[in-house]
Amino acid sequence: MPKLNAAELEGVIVEGFPDLRDDAWRIEEVQDNFVRLRMPFHRSNLRPGGTISGPALMELADVAMYAAVLAMIGPVMLAVTTSLNINFMRKAEQVDVIAECRLLKLGNRLAVGEVAMRADGDEGMVAHATLTYSIPPKDQRPA
Amino acid sequence: MPKLNAAELEGVIVEGFPDLRDDAWRIEEVQDNFVRLRMPFHRSNLRPGGTISGPALMELADVAMYAAVLAMIGPVMLAVTTSLNINFMRKAEQVDVIAECRLLKLGNRLAVGEVAMRADGDEGMVAHATLTYSIPPKDQRPA
Amino acid sequence: MPKLNAAELEGVIVEGFPDLRDDAWRIEEVQDNFVRLRMPFHRSNLRPGGTISGPALMELADVAMYAAVLAMIGPVMLAVTTSLNINFMRKAEQVDVIAECRLLKLGNRLAVGEVAMRADGDEGMVAHATLTYSIPPKDQRPA
Amino acid sequence: MPKLNAAELEGVIVEGFPDLRDDAWRIEEVQDNFVRLRMPFHRSNLRPGGTISGPALMELADVAMYAAVLAMIGPVMLAVTTSLNINFMRKAEQVDVIAECRLLKLGNRLAVGEVAMRADGDEGMVAHATLTYSIPPKDQRPA
């Protein structure tokens, strides 16, 4: 069962990514090994041509994975990304982007998850990422 | 031979990533299929714990690849990232990060490159990325 | 709608991977943008320690993607893998491995898919892969 | 300094990949954090169209990384691949393929390496892979 709810997760993310705008992401749903985030549209996420930029989507994937891991293990600041693989598939224009992260493995030291990103209201994926996170062993996590 | 020099590339990057701080990156060297960038240290790139954040390094890798591709094919705004794979290997503290991008393939429609990122003055890699870019066919590029 | 059924796909795979044992894979289900394969257990797929080897799983992912793409576009021999990313998560012992491939994008020139691999009867993933395939433009495919 | 020389490594690989043909790979050079392997041409590595198959190159990358890790830490059977990312860039026809693996990180529990694969005599890369390996902590390795 998740140890943190949506509001608690938003607080943890603000601590973990302190340079963000306050409204950069919203947690919409938290389930076992799953979170859904919304990245509200903001002009600073556009690249020339008016589509959501690659780095904005990479960061969204990283935040979604961070949220999914911390939801399950608690607010452990030592959880760090060890790898990210992302494929960009469709352009997203001036819309919110929805990211759904599923944990595929939550081991003793390593978590693996995938993140599907879609333009709000669309079925087709804008981007898909797979990430690995290094996490502290169980005996070093919050109870 | 490169079609753009370091100063021209910096101008193109500012257009391509308009939301950046002016001093976000500097092009230090341009060679055939190679560029070296410096990301000067800035507090906004830190994560809690005081190390350079993952998203800052992902964006650095993306910019380095963009610069390496545009150096070779000219200022083609239609070049877009299709995939990125990154491994994070060592923590970088409050230092400049140097990114060296080598193009492994510059085909008719696809470019593949790798980016090695090191803390300024260190040998060990902080992160290593491999990227693919979709590029316009030759007959649609600037002469 | 798929253009090939399970039996037709098995025939195409035998042509595409001619060095395989006859019983190397079986197609169990074909749906829109989806195939499920079974890799029956065979001693030649073991690594020391008695678990299914990494290369056997990589090849399984590649075959699953090949099958999913050809199911949708028809028996086009020119479809080739352009990239594969795989994470190994759990050991699989002496059992059949089930691979489910979902196409995330089937574009004019590029297909992207993901493959979940599980030991037969288990929920946890043994490995997860993301692949990209270069495919011939529509006007060069079989009708 | 490497703990195993080329002949010792070949012996270890034969144990680690027991299903291989005897002449499947040859170690050509071993240096600190570096090995070069040759995969002699063999018809069983071809795909339709007469080019070296993707799975043959993936396995070559995996073996090269395995050799590079074991050269440095000794014959530790518990070293296992945790992830592989590969990009296919050029077709290789009926030639030997040369793989050069460089370790980018050799940590206490994780190794990261990259593998460049070229057709014998050619400069252009056929494929490029990045791999991560889980390795036993130092106090559990051979002296």
Side-chain angles (χ1 to χ4, degrees), chain C residues 3-24:
Chain C
K3 294 187 171 180
L4 300 177
N5 63 27
E8 290 164 339
L9 268 181
E10 289 188 354
V12 170
I13 288 175
V14 167
E15 283 179 73
F17 294 78
D19 195 51
L20 297 175
R21 297 188 319 279
D22 280 353
D23 62 343

Side-chain angles (χ1 to χ4, degrees), chain B residues 28 57 79 142:
Chain B
E28 295 203 328
L57 295 168

